[in-house]
Amino acid sequence: MKKSVVILAAGDFPRKGGTAWRILENADVVVCCDGAADAFRRRFSREPDFAVGDCDSLKGEFANVVRIAEQDTNDLEKAAKFCRAKGWRNPVVLGATGKREDHTIGNVFRAMDLGLEIVSDYGRFVPFCGRKTFAVQKGSAISVFAADPAARMSSTGLQWPLDGVVFANPYCATLNRATGEKVVIETDRRACAYIAR
């Protein structure tokens, strides 16, 4: 049976009762990035399965701490590599946004590189390459990010199609809308779609 694995970062903690909270509540395995372990224990009155990172912001004592001292990667990437080493291929990332904007931006682009989906109380960031179909509500706000200016995309189901868009900057395909309940985007380079809730 496939395990549902969550990586909990130290940004805004999921709101009780929301989509991100339910994902966290029902996860088979919870891997916290450093100090997120303290927040998880406060809210759920139990320890996470693992606390992973450089542990510079971990306050409490935890049974399963994986200290990775190097500073070339952030705690999200450390946790993702730990999950992959355990054979958990598609963890969902929660708590990656909010609090510090620089961490939010770093986490979004790091997750895009790692192929990890981020879910927040406001929406989700879905990394993809090739052809991807998104089930959405008509009128949903959708933004697409591509770090590589050579990215070429085409789309159906968006108010402003992506066909021929030149990614002169990573955010030039933001603030779009779904015209129906399905959006299809095809790209030749790694990209990330944000779908607002």
Side-chain angles (χ1 to χ4, degrees):
M1 183 175 148
K2 186 178 174 185
K3 291 186 178 207
S4 63
V5 180
V6 162
I7 295 174
L8 180 64
D12 285 342
F13 202 88
R15 213 173 30 225
K16 190 169 186 175
T19 300
W21 178 278
R22 287 191 302 275
I23 291 170
L24 182 57
E25 189 174 44
N26 295 311
D28 295 316
V29 178
V30 176
V31 177
C32 289
C33 296
D34 205 335
D38 295 299
F40 179 80
R41 181 160 59 191
R42 271 194 312 276
R43 298 214 177 49
F44 280 85
S45 299
R46 66 180 177 92
E47 287 200 13
D49 297 287
F50 299 94
V52 178
D54 58 13
C55 300
D56 62 345
S57 59
L58 194 63
K59 306 260 189 287
E61 294 292 323
F62 295 88
N64 295 314
V65 175
V66 180
R67 283 186 172 80
I68 304 170
E70 59 85 6
Q71 294 296 310
D72 294 333
T73 59
N74 68 5
D75 289 333
L76 174 59
E77 185 165 349
K78 290 175 174 109
K81 286 179 178 177
F82 171 79
C83 288
R84 292 208 168 121
K86 289 283 198 182
W88 304 324
R89 296 287 168 223
N90 295 304
V92 173
V93 180
L94 308 174
T97 62
K99 292 189 179 172
R100 283 187 53 182
E101 284 83 2
D102 56 341
H103 283 201
T104 296
I105 293 166
N107 285 338
V108 167
F109 281 96
R110 185 72 71 184
M112 181 171 68
D113 286 343
L114 295 169
L116 299 173
E117 182 172 339
I118 294 174
V119 177
S120 76
D121 288 326
Y122 306 102
R124 61 191 176 113
F125 291 90
V126 182
F128 67 101
C129 188
R131 184 181 175 90
K132 179 75 175 173
T133 301
F134 301 92
V136 296
Q137 292 182 345
K138 184 177 180 179
S140 291
I142 297 178
S143 291
V144 178
F145 301 90
D148 188 336
R152 295 294 172 258
M153 292 190 198
S154 61
S155 65
T156 58
L158 289 175
Q159 186 171 356
W160 297 284
L162 299 178
D163 307 56
V165 169
V166 176
F167 280 83
N169 57 59
Y171 53 86
C172 70
T174 60
L175 310 175
N176 214 323
R177 295 223 170 265
T179 57
E181 295 182 348
K182 181 171 86 169
V183 171
V184 179
I185 304 173
E186 190 160 358
T187 178
D188 64 346
R189 305 290 161 95
R190 196 180 303 261
C192 182
Y194 174 75
I195 298 121
R197 195 165 320 289

